[in-house]
Amino acid sequence: MTIRLGLLGVEDNLQLIESVAKEYSEFTTLPFLHSSREGIIDILESHQYDVDMWLFSGYSPYSVAKKWGKVNQPMFFIEYTGSCLYKTLYHALYHHNVNINELSFDGFTPSELKQIFEGFGVSFIPDYLKTYESLNDNIVEHHYKLWKKGKTKAAVTCIWDVFNKLKKIGVPVFRVNPTKSAIQSALNMALRTHEMLLFKDRQIAVQMIEIDTMSGLSKNMYSSDEIYNKEIQITQKLLIYTKKVQGSLKAVGPGRYVIFSTRGSLSDITQNFTAVPDIEELHQLSQRAVTCGIGIGQSAYEAEIHAAKALFHAKEYENGAWMVFLDNKTINGPLGKPENITYSYESKKFQTISKQTSLSVATISKVDSILKKIGKTEITAHELAQHLQIIPRSARRILDQLLKKGYAKEIAEEAPHPRGRPRKIYQVSL
């Protein structure tokens, strides 16, 4: 099975990247040409199911894809390291008589340029560089202003769009192209990542499911035969579902079942552990409140322990909830709910706070995850209760514990309605 590698580049380097990628028997390449940033998202959206991985010709198109945030496949970009720059510098310095300290740059790290400048015996000027981290829509302006003020005589860019725009407004500009070794480095990283993901997909996954078998039975009269018949019906539906996740089903008690499968098959059916599987057999069982804990582990025993912990957290939330306990000791859930958060079960970061308060590491991690999700550090007990699906009194207790130990402070009050009791607003710092 070959890896479908989507190549996304511009006209002056896509052919080179494709030729190097074809030297790898593990890849089947699908080249896509883009001429502007706007076209990148169109390509990604149109071909998201046609590729297994994406390789971008540079950081600029990669950053557009990352900012868009809807790419599910692994993404890589070709780094324009110092070795990529030497050929361009040779062309500028020896064929156009431009000194290295008369050039402006983009897309390199300060340390890379500093090392090259030292080789030429001149001082590197940081203001002449736009790094990866500072790349934005002002790159053209960056080069143009330095040239217009007479501080530089030409620009050196890694970005095709910037190269064309600078040429159009009359700024002398040199384009940096990737070297074969830089392309090979990116391809090798893609291969290693694929091997890692393949190993990850083969990890053991256990689903621990609880179903209320008494639901739907007659209130006035039911027999053991009727209960047994209901359990047979449930088992038959779960067997169909189990086949779809390529697993094996085991009944472990009244209304409790365990399914052994792999991480890859469960990841696919839960949309990378973000949603409850959209399976007809599960819909038929939903009236009986199917509560599920998913556990991932290196062994069947570890995965089963994790599944039991995930089920405990799911039941703590509500009947019918699905939670997943991953092998990195983080819990994600409830799947498919707006309140979905990812929190740590064993975090060294929060162990100190846990020792100082009566709060568990998991509870502290939940609070931290909620604050990150809402994008602020201010929260009321009422808001926290809604996110944690607990009563406001319990949420106030959590915030009071953090307040006593200096991890939170009261900063204001808000009145929910004219006759309502003012709610304290806490600023939490973990």
Side-chain angles (χ1 to χ4, degrees):
M1 180 180 172
T2 57
I3 306 162
R4 299 173 300 168
L5 183 66
L7 305 177
L8 213 155
V10 289
E11 61 186 68
D12 70 335
N13 60 28
L14 184 60
Q15 193 174 357
L16 171 63
I17 298 168
E18 188 179 6
S19 66
V20 177
K22 283 186 175 178
E23 295 176 5
Y24 290 73
S25 60
E26 297 91 344
F27 293 118
T28 298
T29 57
L30 290 88
F32 300 99
L33 184 70
H34 77 89
S35 56
S36 66
R37 291 188 173 194
E38 292 73 27
I40 294 169
I41 293 174
D42 291 337
I43 293 169
L44 294 171
E45 199 164 19
S46 302
H47 299 279
Q48 58 180 322
Y49 300 112
D50 300 330
V51 304
D52 301 311
M53 291 180 165
W54 287 101
L55 176 61
F56 298 88
S57 60
Y59 182 81
S60 183
Y62 168 83
S63 66
V64 173
K66 192 175 180 183
K67 189 175 181 181
W68 183 48
K70 296 182 181 179
V71 179
N72 295 319
Q73 301 88 349
M75 300 187 297
F76 309 90
F77 66 92
I78 297 165
E79 291 192 62
Y80 286 69
T81 56
S83 60
C84 300
L85 182 58
Y86 280 113
K87 185 179 177 181
T88 305
L89 285 179
Y90 175 79
H91 185 64
L93 274 56
Y94 294 100
H95 291 279
H96 293 268
N97 298 317
V98 180
N99 294 324
I100 190 170
N101 55 359
E102 295 174 329
L103 295 167
S104 56
F105 299 85
D106 64 52
F108 293 94
T109 64
S111 59
E112 284 173 332
L113 280 188
K114 189 176 180 181
Q115 189 176 359
I116 292 171
F117 270 64
E118 286 174 353
F120 283 90
V122 294
S123 298
F124 165 60
I125 306 170
D127 290 343
Y128 287 9
L129 169 68
K130 274 276 186 182
T131 62
Y132 279 150
E133 292 76 15
S134 62
L135 286 179
N136 51 42
D137 295 332
N138 297 323
I139 308 169
V140 174
E141 189 180 351
H142 156 74
H143 292 294
Y144 177 74
K145 280 185 176 180
L146 290 169
W147 175 75
K148 190 71 175 175
K149 291 176 181 177
K151 292 183 177 182
T152 60
K153 289 185 178 179
V156 176
T157 182
C158 300
I159 305 167
W160 174 248
D161 193 36
V162 172
F163 175 75
N164 287 326
K165 286 179 180 177
L166 289 173
K167 277 182 72 176
K168 195 172 182 179
I169 60 178
V171 179
V173 58
F174 301 96
R175 168 88 159 108
V176 182
N177 291 106
T179 61
K180 184 175 180 178
S181 62
I183 298 169
Q184 288 172 331
S185 178
L187 290 169
N188 289 334
M189 185 178 290
L191 272 180
R192 289 195 299 271
T193 302
H194 181 262
E195 289 168 1
M196 181 194 74
L197 291 174
L198 205 60
F199 170 76
K200 216 172 185 181
D201 280 348
R202 290 171 179 168
Q203 281 183 305
I204 295 170
V206 172
Q207 286 177 268
M208 200 166 279
I209 295 172
E210 275 197 7
I211 300 175
D212 182 5
T213 54
M214 304 296 284
S215 176
L217 292 174
S218 170
K219 291 182 180 180
N220 299 322
M221 183 180 69
Y222 57 84
S223 65
S224 58
D225 287 345
E226 193 176 357
I227 296 172
Y228 183 61
N229 187 48
K230 287 289 181 184
E231 287 182 348
I232 290 173
Q233 292 174 22
I234 291 169
T235 303
Q236 286 173 337
K237 288 180 174 61
L238 283 178
L239 279 169
I240 297 171
Y241 167 71
T242 301
K243 191 175 180 180
K244 291 179 180 178
V245 295
Q246 301 173 44
S248 63
L249 178 68
K250 178 183 173 186
V252 291
R256 179 171 285 197
Y257 305 84
V258 173
I259 298 172
F260 292 87
S261 58
T262 62
R263 180 180 188 146
S265 59
L266 270 189
S267 178
D268 290 340
I269 209 164
T270 59
Q271 300 175 38
N272 197 25
F273 301 114
T274 60
V276 175
D278 187 14
I279 303 294
E280 178 61 30
E281 288 70 33
L282 291 181
H283 293 319
Q284 293 171 4
L285 291 170
S286 62
Q287 62 178 347
R288 296 188 177 88
V290 181
T291 308
C292 177
I294 301 173
I296 310 295
Q298 302 298 332
S299 66
Y301 177 77
E302 183 183 57
E304 198 168 356
I305 293 296
H306 289 174
K309 289 178 179 177
L311 180 63
F312 172 79
H313 283 266
K315 289 170 69 176
E316 195 178 51
Y317 181 80
E318 66 176 9
N319 281 343
W322 284 50
M323 306 286 276
V324 57
F325 193 119
L326 298 170
D327 55 327
N328 62 356
K329 308 298 181 187
T330 60
I331 295 177
N332 179 38
L335 305 189
K337 300 281 187 180
E339 312 87 67
N340 180 294
I341 58 170
T342 299
Y343 54 94
S344 175
Y345 191 76
E346 294 180 6
S347 170
K348 290 181 180 179
K349 178 183 175 184
F350 300 129
Q351 282 177 0
T352 303
I353 303 175
S354 179
K355 287 176 183 177
Q356 294 175 5
T357 64
S358 61
L359 306 174
S360 67
V361 171
T363 298
I364 298 163
S365 186
K366 283 181 187 179
V367 174
D368 184 61
S369 297
I370 289 165
L371 294 174
K372 286 176 180 174
K373 185 176 181 178
I374 64 177
K376 58 181 182 178
T377 58
E378 298 81 29
I379 196 166
T380 66
H382 182 75
E383 289 173 316
L384 184 61
Q386 285 183 319
H387 284 284
L388 290 176
Q389 292 292 294
I390 58 177
I391 60 174
R393 187 192 306 163
S394 298
R396 277 194 293 273
R397 187 186 68 80
I398 293 170
L399 291 169
D400 285 342
Q401 286 291 322
L402 295 173
L403 182 70
K404 287 176 184 176
K405 299 300 177 181
Y407 294 105
K409 60 181 180 180
E410 296 175 13
I411 57 170
E413 286 187 345
E414 66 174 14
H417 47 80
R419 293 187 179 182
R421 181 181 175 184
R423 294 172 181 164
K424 294 177 182 178
I425 300 174
Y426 297 81
Q427 186 176 62
V428 182
S429 177
L430 299 174

